[in-house]
Amino acid sequence: MWAVVAAALLGGCATGYHSDKGVIRGYTGGYWEQPGPGELLKVGFSGNGYIDRDTTHAYLMYRCAELALQRHKRYFRLYESLPDAIRDRPTMDLTVGRVAGAMGDWVFVLFDQDYSAGDLDADGVEKRYASYIHAQGGQR
């Protein structure tokens, strides 16, 4: 009974900034990571039907920066696909799309200590999106 009430209450809310782990959160979306080939990490964010494209983009960018800083790396590079990573063709613009009524996206991320062409500054990206994340009620 309580699970149904909780699900109904959460169903009307946009996905917040949190992991997709957990019983309730698994239904509402969140960020996730999985090892990619080599040094790449596949990072994604999936939302529910109430989240918009800009928020999904902000959450995914913030998560990539957060992971870089957790790994003590100053920079990170985004690739939309493995072929792009193999060719070292980073992207600066994420293509957030709607799948089955919900917003979501994922990227392959390479973390760097030293700057290379196409890298994003982890500290700068985190600062750029931090106030937006916290204004949306996201946790850190």
Side-chain angles (χ1 to χ4, degrees), residues 1 18 50 61 67-68 75 77 80 85 97-98 110-111 132 135:
M1 169 75 173
H18 53 68
Y50 298 96
M61 292 296 291
L67 288 167
Y75 305 99
R77 195 171 324 151
E80 287 190 338
R98 193 171 284 281
L110 182 65
F111 304 102
Y132 183 82

Side-chain angles (χ1 to χ4, degrees), residues 41 47 60:
L41 183 67
L60 184 55

Side-chain angles (χ1 to χ4, degrees), residues 24-90:
I24 298 297
R25 287 183 177 170
Y27 292 108
T28 62
Y31 58 75
W32 53 268
E33 304 88 35
Q34 64 187 130
E39 295 180 26
L40 293 172
L41 183 67
K42 189 174 182 180
V43 179
F45 186 87
S46 57
N48 60 22
Y50 298 96
I51 195 168
D52 61 49
R53 180 173 277 112
D54 291 340
T55 302
T56 302
H57 179 267
Y59 286 178
L60 184 55
M61 292 296 291
Y62 186 82
R63 184 61 182 159
C64 291
E66 188 175 52
L67 288 167
L69 294 171
Q70 287 174 2
R71 288 168 168 71
H72 306 287
K73 302 294 184 180
R74 296 178 61 192
Y75 305 99
F76 65 97
R77 195 171 324 151
L78 304 175
Y79 299 101
E80 287 190 338
S81 68
L82 284 176
D84 287 340
I86 291 167
R87 293 182 187 102
D88 194 26
R89 291 184 7 206

Side-chain angles (χ1 to χ4, degrees), residues 116-131:
S116 294
D119 280 355
L120 298 167
D121 176 64
D123 191 52
V125 170
E126 185 185 50
K127 285 179 180 162
R128 176 178 176 193
Y129 291 105
S131 61

Side-chain angles (χ1 to χ4, degrees), residues 2-39:
W2 290 108
V4 172
V5 171
L9 290 173
L10 290 172
C13 301
T15 304
Y17 182 78
H18 53 68
S19 170
D20 73 348
K21 306 276 189 279
V23 178
I24 298 297
R25 287 183 177 170
Y27 292 108
T28 62
Y31 58 75
W32 53 268
E33 304 88 35
Q34 64 187 130
E39 295 180 26

